[in-house]
Structures are given as C-alpha cells and as structure tokens.
Amino acid sequence: MKLADNKATLSFSNGSPSIDLPVYQGNVGPDVVDIRKLYGQTGLFTYDPGFMSTAACQSSITYIDGDKGELLYRGYPIEQLATNCDYLETCHLLLHGELPNATQKRDFTKLVTNHTMVNEQMQFFLRGFRRDAHPMAIMTGLVGALSAFYHDSTDINNPQHREISAIRLIAKMPTLVAMAYKYTVGQPYMYPKNDLSYAGNFLHMMFATPCEEYIVNPVLERALDRIFILHADHEQNASTSTVRLCGSSGTNPFAAIAAGVACLWGPAHGGANEAALNMLGDIQKQGGVEKIGEFIKQVKDKNSGVKLMGFGHRVYKNYDPRAKLMQETCKEVLHEMGLENDPLFKLAMALEKIALEDDYFVSRKLYPNVDFYSGIVQRAIGIPVPLFTAVFALARTVGWIAQLNEMIGDPEYKIGRPRQLFTGSTNRQVPPLAQR
Ligand code: SDX
C-alpha cells in the first residue's frame, strides 16, 4: 500500500485537539484512513459493527468491485478463469500469485493428488455422529480433527509447514466431504483414485460403490470443477475473516480452517445455497410460479422474517458475476441430465425476473448471488441438499488457506483483538444473598 497525497483531519466540536490521519491507497478500490493511532492519540475507538466501512487487512489475492459486479482472482476476471482454467490451476494462482505453466500445473496436480487420502483413523470420528447428522456438523469436526495427525507441520511460522498444510487441506477436503456423505447414506467410503481429475475424483468418491465401475460424466466433471472455481475465494467475507482472526492467535491451520467451516454454515453466508433450494422447494409445493407474488409479498413484510435466499450481498450492489456463470452451468447440466424442464430451475428464473423488476429489490440493489443457482446445479448433479454448503467449504478451502498464509507471511501481523462500546452495568457491589 502507498501513502496517498490526501490525509484525513479529525476535529471535535468539544474543542479537543484535532488530529491528522494518514490515507493509504491500494492498486484499485477505495483508499483507507489509517486509524491505528486513533486510540493512542485521542482515547477514542471507532465503531463499526458488521465492518460496513472497515478494511481489516491489506491483501493482494482477490478484488471485488461491488458496483461493477467484478470479481478478480490475482487480477484475472472470474469469467476468464471459469472458462479457460481448471480448479487446481486456480488454486495455484490463489496460493502462489500466478497461473501455473504446463510443468508447474503437472507438478501441482501430482502433489495434490498424492495427498488425497486421509488417515484411516479419521473414519472412527464419523462413527460418533448419528447417521442423520448435518454434513457441516461432521465437517466442522473432521477438519479440526485433522490437526491431530500432522504434528510435523503445524508451525505456521514455518513456510514449508504452511505450504504442506495448504496442499493437505486442498487435497483432503473432497475426501472428507465424500466420507461425510457416504456415512449419512450408510454406504462404504470410496478411496480416492489418482488417475481421476480433482472434480472427477470427488464425483467418484461420492457416487461410486464397490459393486460396479463408476464412469465419470465429463459434463458433470467440468460443471463441478467450475463450481469449485466460482467458490474458491471472495476477499474478506465472514468465513475468511473468521479464519484470519482465528489464525492470528498462532493456532494451527487445520483449526483455523475448521473455524471457517463453522462460520460458512450460517444461512446468511454459505448456508444460503441450501436455504435457497429449500425456499424454491417450498414455493413449488405451495403452487409454484403462481405463488411467487404471494412469496414476494411475505419477503417485503419485515415482520415475516422471510428473506429471498440467494439474493442480496454486502458488497455486490449489481449482479454477482458468479451467479451469471452458475446459471449457465445450470443450463449445461440440466440439458445433460435431460432436466431442461426442471420445475425448480424454471421457478428460480421466474423468481429472479419478477424480483429484478420489483422496486423493493431494485431500490435495495438486491441481485442474485452465487448461492441462488448453485443449489439447483448441485441437485441436478445428484448432490443432496444438506451437502451443498460442505461443497462450498471444499471449494473455499483454498481461499481460506491462501488468505491465512498471506496474513501469517506478513511480519507485521498481530493477534486480532477488537474493542467495544460498553453499555452494561458500571462498577457495583455484590449484595448479600438475603438482600437480592
Ligand atoms: C455469500 O461476503 C461474501 O462475499 C459472501 C459470499 C462469499 O463468496 O463468501 O459471497 C457468499 O454468503 C453470499 C450471500 C448469501 N446469503 C444469502 O443469500 C442470504 C440472503 N441475503 C441476505 O441475508 C443479505 O443480503 C446478506 C446477508 C447477504 C447481506 O446483508 P447486508 O449487507 O447486511 O444487507 P442488509 O441486511 O442490511 O440489507 C439491506 C436491505 C435491508 O432492507 P432495509 O432494512 O434497508 O429495508 O436489504 C434487505 C434488508 O432487509 N435485504 C433483503 C435481502 N437481503 C437484504 N430482503 C429480502 N431478501 C434478501 N435476501
């Protein structure tokens, strides 16, 4: 970051001395007012719950322009990456800053492939869960449990440890998600197959059984790989910020990523893809397209607590570029599966059209986000609804670990420790029990 030729002056109406605060600028996007010395110089905190106006860090990984609906991974537009690259090339880009050449791609793919198995002991963690446990409950446990197996590489201040932990996490998430699924359907786990692609291997571990050969459908394989690319990273979203804050204590990367999994589960965040599909299913049950008007009315009624899941975004005040690409992938997969007339997809398209013409949504700049169509395409691939967010976590792991490693790799990083505006009881004496 570089010092802008602008500066901020904070003055006070009560006559307290004003202070100058430096303004820094990045390569693109809003400048920042550096308030690090504010408390020391004024005894004041800033107040920004939800971080509506706060840059918590500097980063060179992902840039979002919410007004333009632009998403860049290390400068490359998501549309180009989703069309011209595969997920592991994108992982290399996010982790190392550049797309791999052919040799680097071969070596990176081989490295990841050779780490896809998990310790045989991992399956005993699953046995503690009920068969109907939510996959995100299982994943939160399994990812945290990984830290029990890699005492050789949990020193996050060691760059080699950071590198191998990143590879292990990227490589093992598909295996763990597939195990979580197989456990809930009572089928045997399928081991990774090193002759399959990253997405093909996931499909195999999910849907193959020991009873017969499973042939990976190339259309589904490509669609899933694109879904992984679209979900790989997204700047300082809630779960990435959780991973950064958790990792800032010096904990091991597996524990920090487990914290990210837990945060992503929420319906306001990664859980929205499951919630969006359930929402479409409910509208369908109540009568489908004819019932959209009634549903929209509920959404507009603040007291209903009903939201249009898969719509709206803290940063995008335009169409989420990932939603457009996801819609295209939807069409490809539905065509391949002979589901062109899938009622939920038609319902989603109708709902989107109506919402984008309704002033309630237009005035609030509410557009479809990545979660609006991702559930429909995952369902068409055969992935069960409760597993959608686990697939999101699988894909986002590379973003989490890239952001964590960027933070830890910065010699200036400190443990994150926000303050508060205290509105509780001030100092008071404990009354004896008889007087309470
Ligand atoms: C992801 O941060 C990221 O980058 C996340 C993510 C990533 O890749 O990591 O992009 C992934 O989490 C996508 C978002 C998925 N969540 C949903 O689809 C859930 C539904 N969306 C909302 O919960 C909401 O839009 C949020 C949480 C996504 C954003 O909320 P904000 O930025 O805090 O906005 P807000 O709640 O202040 O809403 C502003 C207005 C409010 O109305 P008013 O009080 O101004 O009258 O818009 C309304 C809200 O009530 N609103 C919605 C709405 N989203 C916002 N009304 C109906 N349906 C919605 N979905």
Side-chain angles (χ1 to χ4, degrees):
M1 67 184 186
K2 49 186 181 294
L3 203 54
D5 53 14
N6 182 14
K7 70 173 186 290
T9 301
L10 193 54
S11 58
F12 300 93
S13 55
N14 66 1
S16 305
S18 65
I19 66 163
D20 288 342
L21 295 166
V23 174
Y24 287 96
Q25 53 192 182
N27 297 342
V28 66
D31 292 354
V32 297
V33 178
D34 182 349
I35 56 163
R36 284 175 286 187
K37 294 193 168 34
L38 178 71
Y39 179 60
Q41 289 179 3
T42 68
L44 295 172
F45 294 145
T46 60
Y47 183 67
D48 187 14
F51 307 122
M52 306 290 280
S53 303
T54 293
C57 64
Q58 56 178 301
S59 177
S60 60
I61 299 174
T62 293
Y63 176 70
I64 302 168
D65 183 320
D67 295 328
K68 283 197 239 168
E70 182 181 56
L71 169 58
L72 311 176
Y73 290 167
R74 300 282 192 183
Y76 293 112
I78 191 70
E79 296 82 356
Q80 293 183 34
L81 291 168
T83 313
N84 304 311
C85 300
D86 68 22
Y87 178 69
L88 287 184
E89 288 176 279
T90 307
C91 288
H92 186 283
L93 173 67
L94 289 168
L95 287 172
H96 303 304
E98 294 300 338
L99 284 166
N101 60 33
T103 308
Q104 290 165 330
K105 176 177 177 175
R106 185 203 60 212
D107 295 345
F108 187 78
T109 301
K110 190 165 181 302
L111 189 60
V112 171
T113 302
N114 289 340
H115 282 278
T116 47
M117 275 209 301
V118 295
N119 188 298
E120 281 292 282
Q121 292 297 102
M122 286 299 284
Q123 59 187 296
F124 299 115
F125 288 105
L126 283 131
R127 288 186 184 171
F129 291 102
R130 288 168 35 151
R131 291 279 181 177
D132 63 352
H134 194 285
M136 285 302 275
I138 298 174
M139 286 306 295
T140 307
L142 290 182
V143 177
L146 281 177
S147 46
F149 293 88
Y150 300 111
H151 294 295
D152 66 329
S153 61
T154 52
D155 171 9
I156 50 166
N157 296 306
N158 177 329
Q160 283 71 37
H161 287 196
R162 291 204 296 270
E163 170 72 16
I164 184 60
S165 297
I167 296 299
R168 280 174 167 150
L169 279 157
I170 293 165
K172 297 178 196 302
M173 283 299 274
T175 310
L176 295 177
V177 172
M179 287 173 76
Y181 169 62
K182 287 297 198 187
Y183 183 74
T184 59
V185 295
Q187 287 187 4
Y189 307 126
M190 298 304 291
Y191 286 99
K193 280 172 64 74
N194 291 356
D195 58 347
L196 295 175
S197 73
Y198 188 87
N201 186 38
F202 179 63
L203 286 169
H204 177 265
M205 292 189 289
M206 280 285 293
F207 301 119
T209 67
C211 315
E212 57 189 10
E213 200 192 350
Y214 174 84
I215 308 292
V216 173
N217 178 323
V219 174
L220 302 191
E221 180 181 24
R222 179 63 193 137
L224 202 51
D225 192 81
R226 177 182 282 193
I227 289 170
F228 294 161
I229 292 173
L230 295 179
H231 287 87
D233 193 46
H234 214 239
E235 197 211 74
Q236 305 311 319
N237 58 84
S239 53
T240 298
S241 301
T242 300
V243 169
R244 279 179 173 259
L245 190 56
C246 183
S248 72
S249 72
T251 189
N252 71 80
F254 303 99
I257 300 302
V261 172
C263 175
L264 188 74
W265 191 0
H269 190 14
N273 54 18
E274 177 180 0
L277 201 97
N278 290 335
M279 171 192 75
L280 291 169
D282 290 346
I283 299 171
Q284 189 62 22
K285 268 187 229 133
Q286 288 154 25
V289 177
E290 300 75 56
K291 290 292 178 186
I292 288 179
E294 218 171 288
F295 176 74
I296 295 282
K297 213 180 288 170
Q298 266 189 308
V299 169
K300 292 180 186 176
D301 168 12
K302 293 279 184 222
N303 302 322
S304 73
V306 174
K307 282 195 183 276
L308 180 46
M309 300 312 279
F311 256 69
H313 199 276
R314 173 62 56 77
V315 177
Y316 288 124
K317 300 309 171 191
N318 197 327
Y319 211 103
D320 182 335
R322 302 168 298 175
K324 277 200 188 87
L325 291 158
M326 198 66 82
Q327 192 189 84
E328 276 170 39
T329 303
C330 247
K331 287 175 182 163
E332 286 164 20
V333 170
L334 292 171
H335 175 71
E336 174 65 18
M337 303 305 281
L339 298 169
E340 289 89 338
N341 296 318
D342 177 59
L344 286 195
F345 182 59
K346 287 191 173 305
L347 179 62
M349 300 272 276
L351 187 51
E352 174 193 335
K353 186 172 180 309
I354 292 168
L356 296 186
E357 288 162 3
D358 185 308
D359 183 57
Y360 179 90
F361 298 92
V362 174
S363 62
R364 290 169 176 80
K365 299 186 176 181
L366 300 177
Y367 291 86
N369 59 52
V370 67
D371 292 308
F372 190 63
Y373 288 104
S374 76
I376 299 169
V377 61
Q378 290 190 66
R379 175 175 161 274
I381 291 173
I383 295 169
V385 177
L387 208 76
F388 289 174
T389 309
V391 171
F392 192 152
L394 182 170
R396 182 55 55 88
T397 292
V398 63
W400 288 332
I401 197 76
Q403 298 270 353
L404 175 63
N405 285 352
E406 178 180 69
M407 178 187 78
I408 301 292
D410 173 357
E412 281 185 19
Y413 96 90
K414 289 177 174 302
I415 186 168
R417 200 319 187 172
R419 302 301 302 275
Q420 62 182 6
L421 176 67
F422 183 71
T423 55
S425 303
T426 52
N427 192 317
R428 55 179 175 159
Q429 302 308 305
V430 175
L433 184 57
Q435 290 173 26
R436 282 183 225 154

